[in-house]
Amino acid sequence: MRHDYVLKLLESGERLDGRKLDEFRDIKIEVDTIERAEGSARVKIGKTDIIVGIKMDLGEPFPDVPNQGMLRTGAEFSPIASPEFNPGPPGEDATELARVVDRGIRESECIDLEKLCLKPGEQVWTMFVDIHMMNHDGNLIDVSALAAVAALMRTKMPELEDGKINREKLKEKLPIKHIPITVTVGKISDKFLIDPTKEEEQVLDSKLMVAVMEDGKICAMQKSGDQGLSEEETSRMIDLAIKKSKEIRKLL
Amino acid sequence: MGMKSKEKMIVEGKRLDGRTPDEIREIEMKVGVIPNANGSARVSFGRTTAVAAVYGPRILHPRRLQEPDTAIIRCRYNMAPFSVDERIRPGSSRREKEISKVTRLALEPALFLEKYPETVIDIYIEIIQADGSTRVTGINAASLALADAGAPMRDLVVGLAGGKLDDTIIIDLCGKEDNYSVADIPIAFLPRKNEITLLQMDGQLNPDEVKTIVKNVLNAGKKVYEKQKEALKKKYHK
Amino acid sequence: MTEVRKIVLPGEVLGDSKEKKSGYGTFEEEGGVISKFIGIPKETHDYISVIPLSGVYTPKRQDKVIGFITGVERVGWVVDINSPWLAFLPVSEAVDEFIDLKKTDITRFYDVKDVIYAQVDNVKRGDIKLTMNTPVARKLRDGITVKIAPSKVPRLIGKEGSMINIIKDKTNTVIRVGQNGVVWLSGEGVKKAIKAIKMVDEKSHIIGLTNEITKLLSD
């Protein structure tokens, strides 16, 4: 069967598409693809294809952070993207995806949220980061996270006229402070790999997602998969993620 | 229909975006944009962009929904949250549910389904960006996706809207025109015999105006049909 | 630009039904023979037909298919044959010896995950029966399967097996092609052979494909 073959290949350090274990597929970043959004980007890594659109709106801040703008990240596994997806509210995986991407943006302090406060305790800007999937061939988190930061970097805030949003006039860019890059490292037997396809994901033992800042600091992590990791493995996976994040960062 | 505009929407025979009344916006069509799907296409009319994917025919679960002598069609029209100015909350609205239904009915007459008993053909339409005429843009994308999927068809399905703005009959309404129009008539048809499979209207028109709009849309739709044919052939002429 | 075969589209009128009959992939309406598919038209003395360029596999009697066992029932096996419907392989069509079904665990013949090369025995609506009672039928072991568009199987095989034989010879690989679009491979040159098969899948409509494949495999 195909799975067994993919597994056998990976265990011997090879991949069906001929890539090295630590090699990304082709990465294409397109920005400003959605004119009607305040910011947008479409990222393709191999056959995985994701659009992120940013909408800005006015809202009331959370009471515990009355002087900060708000970030809301959503993801839908659109049935358009894969034969296994069904219409309906986001499931576990879509929710995890949105939360991991959100965490990378939030914890890196990507956006200076205090600059998005209009009236403390009353009115702040809300950024809606919507992850829209077009085609699923694995590694959704890295692709979504990259599309999210690429879209945020292009986002322009609409002008306020008498307290109302005028979306025809976009001016200032979002106050960007840091850019997190998320790299997922997969593990199978004693091998580590980057950018798994959907087929490869099905045979992985475990995955570690690592969000890395400009200076190599780590700002978010998440382990998934049903097998455990040793301390030594964890540290090697982190090192690999940091190394690969530098390559990705150059593309932005 | 919509709001009343204080200003004129058509000045000296030109529309807001400089088009003449019977002019269609720039059309772009591409077939085979979603590798996972059996068939797919992206269609843009100006700033309105729809992507459609077809999955199937595949076995339908649960069993009680199966038809013993034919495939059934399921259709979902969905707008991306960032497709319009005010973000849309994910999840189907009543509007999206109705459009899903009329879209299915617009496409069904074009399909031979009897060869695929107990199965379903899923048609998913995503409006990535909306600037008027979204349902007919979605129908054009679905028509291409079905042909690309190798579904047996009687004909392609062409979608185009017509309407009345100020005192003028127009074709292919953009978002703003839609808001301020006197009436809006989205139409889908099978071009070989000009068989109409979707016809909706809101607004107020006299019967002659309705007939003129239908005639104009069928006429201008030939151009959309040509674009569909070109896009399908282009997939194999790279 | 590469030279391409003529392509027709759904709804396209291909001829007069008084002169030629409607063959596969076409229908007749108001005196015309009309295409149902995007595909390549074929005209014979009597018929106009269209070979689709895409679409799912629809089983026909006597087709040779490659299937995956997905379930074991009391009297036979459920088989995924890459069509919208699952197929069934009855014990009586798979095993020569007499078996007491009450006492025998039939998984010793075929079990879930096994891959088989079988023949379509009967098709009634969504009800498809397979048989192993044909000389070429067998269990396929230690290989890998890939899928191509079922409509492109004839192109992959080529005239009298010309295309598939080139791929087999140049890659030193054992290959079996199911009419359902599933291809099974085993041997040292599997990766290269898959590359060639994918190329046929993507470029089946161009003229001079055999040369391109030979070139790919000689590199």
Side-chain angles (χ1 to χ4, degrees):
Chain A
M1 287 287 284
R2 200 165 168 101
H3 282 176
D4 299 345
Y5 184 75
V6 171
L7 183 66
K8 237 189 315 188
L9 268 182
L10 285 176
E11 282 171 343
S12 66
E14 277 191 88
R15 306 175 90 161
L16 200 55
D17 54 16
R19 279 186 291 155
K20 294 198 204 85
L21 289 183
D22 66 348
E23 196 177 334
F24 269 95
R25 291 167 286 180
D26 272 351
I27 303 177
K28 280 192 199 130
I29 304 174
E30 259 177 70
V31 290
D32 301 337
T33 42
I34 311 292
E35 280 174 60
R36 299 204 78 169
E38 278 81 75
S40 61
R42 176 178 193 173
V43 173
K44 287 190 205 177
I45 298 191
K47 285 185 182 164
T48 295
D49 182 354
I50 284 169
I51 299 179
V52 168
I54 314 283
K55 294 301 292 182
M56 303 288 297
D57 218 332
L58 297 174
E60 209 178 295
F62 291 118
D64 53 337
V65 277
N67 59 340
Q68 288 191 4
M70 292 188 290
L71 171 72
R72 296 208 163 160
T73 309
E76 247 195 303
F77 280 14
S78 163
I80 204 169
S82 177
E84 301 96 61
F85 295 163
N86 292 309
E92 240 179 34
D93 292 342
T95 308
E96 186 193 32
L97 172 68
R99 288 182 57 85
V100 171
V101 172
D102 188 272
R103 202 173 307 148
I105 299 169
R106 202 177 288 280
E107 299 305 321
S108 66
E109 296 177 40
C110 173
I111 316 284
D112 190 345
L113 292 177
E114 288 186 7
K115 288 206 174 134
L116 297 180
C117 176
L118 297 164
K119 241 189 222 162
E122 281 180 37
Q123 199 176 43
V124 296
W125 281 107
T126 303
M127 289 167 289
F128 287 97
V129 177
D130 280 296
I131 301 166
H132 215 69
M133 207 171 300
M134 302 306 288
N135 195 69
H136 172 18
D137 189 22
N139 204 14
L140 295 176
I141 287 184
D142 295 10
V143 185
S144 304
L146 184 57
V149 292
L152 286 168
M153 285 166 75
R154 302 294 299 191
T155 300
K156 288 189 182 143
M157 317 229 290
E159 209 151 281
L160 283 181
E161 285 168 2
D162 306 328
K164 273 188 159 173
I165 295 177
N166 181 354
R167 288 181 211 275
E168 313 240 311
K169 287 190 194 152
L170 300 176
K171 45 168 201 181
E172 261 175 87
K173 284 194 168 179
L174 274 180
I176 303 262
K177 275 176 29 188
H178 298 287
I179 311 252
I181 299 287
T182 301
V183 176
T184 302
V185 180
K187 176 180 173 285
I188 186 154
S189 322
D190 60 341
K191 300 276 192 307
F192 300 115
L193 78 157
I194 292 293
D195 188 27
T197 62
K198 190 160 72 173
E199 208 165 35
E200 290 172 338
E201 276 176 349
Q202 283 162 354
V203 300
L204 290 182
D205 298 332
S206 56
K207 286 197 285 189
L208 185 65
M209 295 157 261
V210 185
V212 187
M213 317 244 306
E214 297 87 339
D215 56 2
K217 260 195 213 136
I218 293 163
C219 57
M221 288 209 288
Q222 175 109 331
K223 181 201 164 291
S224 73
D226 47 20
Q227 307 254 332
L229 294 174
S230 73
E231 185 186 337
E232 195 250 335
E233 285 165 344
T234 310
S235 117
R236 282 176 58 195
M237 288 164 93
I238 290 171
D239 291 344
L240 181 55
I242 294 173
K243 184 178 147 212
K244 299 310 283 186
S245 75
K246 291 182 187 148
E247 284 173 29
I248 303 289
R249 189 174 295 282
K250 285 187 198 143
L251 302 173
L252 281 172
Chain B
M1 193 70 237
M3 308 160 242
K4 279 257 159 58
S5 164
K6 280 173 237 136
E7 54 205 297
K8 280 230 163 230
M9 303 292 287
I10 298 187
V11 181
E12 290 171 17
K14 293 273 167 154
R15 293 152 73 175
L16 291 171
D17 50 12
R19 283 187 288 159
T20 57
D22 58 355
E23 196 175 334
I24 303 176
R25 288 172 288 181
E26 195 178 325
I27 300 174
E28 273 179 53
M29 298 190 181
K30 188 165 192 248
V31 174
V33 295
I34 296 171
N36 281 344
N38 293 91
S40 60
R42 184 180 65 239
V43 172
S44 302
F45 280 60
R47 291 203 300 172
T48 296
T49 301
V51 177
V54 168
Y55 286 93
R58 53 186 177 182
I59 202 80
L60 176 59
H61 297 295
R63 239 190 145 78
R64 64 183 159 78
L65 299 177
Q66 293 176 356
E67 293 286 341
D69 47 9
T70 175
I72 69 158
I73 304 283
R74 277 191 302 209
C75 184
R76 177 189 190 248
Y77 164 102
N78 184 61
M79 291 185 80
F82 45 74
S83 60
V84 283
D85 285 347
E86 300 295 325
R87 176 179 182 267
I88 298 171
R89 294 177 66 186
S92 278
S93 64
R94 284 159 56 89
R95 172 183 174 273
E96 285 166 312
K97 281 188 183 137
E98 188 210 340
I99 295 179
S100 298
K101 184 184 171 185
V102 296
T103 301
R104 170 169 59 80
L105 296 174
L107 297 166
E108 230 163 27
L111 292 161
F112 291 96
L113 300 171
E114 62 276 16
K115 275 225 166 138
Y116 306 102
E118 300 167 12
T119 66
V120 59
I121 298 176
D122 281 305
I123 304 167
Y124 299 119
I125 298 168
E126 293 283 337
I127 306 299
I128 299 302
Q129 175 155 259
D131 187 18
S133 300
T134 59
R135 75 193 67 186
V136 290
T137 309
I139 286 170
N140 287 310
S143 163
L144 292 174
L146 283 163
D148 183 38
M153 297 172 87
R154 253 174 260 283
D155 204 355
L156 298 172
V157 186
V158 169
L160 188 62
K164 184 181 170 189
L165 189 61
D166 299 345
D167 302 321
T168 311
I169 302 287
I170 59 167
I171 292 289
D172 181 31
L173 289 75
C174 69
K176 216 168 189 175
E177 291 175 333
D178 193 5
N179 289 339
Y180 294 110
S181 66
V182 181
D184 163 27
I185 308 187
I187 292 174
F189 65 101
L190 313 189
R192 187 162 38 81
K193 300 205 298 183
N194 274 355
E195 186 183 334
I196 293 172
T197 58
L198 170 106
L199 180 66
Q200 291 181 293
M201 177 189 147
D202 42 11
Q204 290 184 7
L205 294 173
N206 67 45
D208 283 343
E209 288 171 324
V210 172
K211 288 172 197 169
T212 307
I213 291 173
V214 171
K215 187 193 267 296
N216 288 3
V217 166
L218 291 179
N219 216 355
K222 292 208 178 79
K223 197 179 156 194
V224 181
Y225 179 45
E226 289 306 317
K227 286 272 178 190
Q228 282 199 19
K229 292 199 283 188
E230 218 174 87
L232 282 168
K233 288 193 170 163
K234 203 168 171 194
K235 180 178 174 187
Y236 297 96
H237 283 74
K238 271 176 279 186
Chain C
M1 195 192 281
T2 349
E3 210 183 330
V4 177
R5 295 161 176 232
K6 188 188 174 200
I7 289 171
V8 297
L9 300 176
E12 190 168 329
V13 182
L14 306 175
D16 190 330
S17 66
K18 284 195 278 311
E19 285 161 24
K20 296 213 173 168
K21 288 182 207 152
S22 146
Y24 184 82
T26 68
F27 64 104
E28 202 190 306
E29 195 179 84
E30 294 173 2
V33 176
I34 300 162
S35 178
K36 283 185 186 175
F37 297 108
I38 173 160
I40 294 167
K42 284 251 153 72
E43 253 183 75
T44 62
H45 188 68
D46 297 323
Y47 285 94
I48 302 177
S49 47
V50 171
I51 317 292
L53 282 166
S54 55
V56 297
Y57 170 64
T58 325
K60 285 186 293 296
R61 213 178 119 79
Q62 295 201 324
D63 279 358
K64 309 277 189 303
V65 297
I66 293 172
F68 309 93
I69 309 276
T70 60
V72 183
E73 291 183 1
R74 206 174 50 84
V75 292
W77 297 268
V78 180
V79 190
D80 171 0
I81 54 164
N82 196 36
S83 84
W85 311 273
L86 290 168
F88 190 71
L89 173 65
V91 170
S92 59
E93 289 295 331
V95 183
D96 285 336
E97 59 200 280
F98 171 80
I99 310 177
D100 185 349
L101 286 171
K102 279 187 199 128
K103 289 182 191 154
T104 317
D105 174 10
I106 63 168
T107 60
R108 76 179 163 94
F109 302 107
Y110 301 106
D111 200 355
V112 172
K113 276 191 166 185
D114 279 347
V115 184
I116 56 169
Y117 189 64
Q119 181 168 295
V120 177
D121 193 31
N122 207 353
V123 180
K124 226 197 285 156
R125 288 199 177 148
D127 193 4
I128 298 145
K129 291 238 162 40
L130 299 179
T131 179
M132 300 298 277
N133 279 328
T134 171
V136 292
R138 70 196 60 212
K139 192 194 278 191
L140 300 170
R141 295 168 211 268
D142 301 326
I144 169 183
T145 55
V146 293
K147 287 180 186 175
I148 64 166
S151 56
K152 291 170 185 169
V153 166
R155 194 83 171 114
L156 176 61
I157 292 169
K159 265 198 192 108
E160 285 157 13
S162 55
M163 181 74 83
I164 199 70
N165 286 335
I166 292 173
I167 301 175
K168 281 180 188 169
D169 293 348
K170 295 250 177 192
T171 61
N172 210 0
T173 304
V174 184
I175 305 176
R176 264 168 202 276
V177 184
Q179 274 159 299
N180 56 338
V182 182
V183 184
W184 178 88
L185 309 96
S186 174
E188 47 189 273
V190 162
K191 263 163 96 179
K192 209 167 181 186
I194 291 176
K195 227 178 178 176
I197 290 167
K198 294 256 170 197
M199 186 168 180
V200 177
D201 193 25
E202 279 159 25
K203 298 189 168 178
S204 67
H205 55 285
I206 70 168
I207 292 166
L209 182 61
T210 317
N211 288 339
E212 288 213 18
I213 293 292
T214 314
K215 220 170 83 190
L216 174 84
L217 294 174
S218 307
D219 285 348

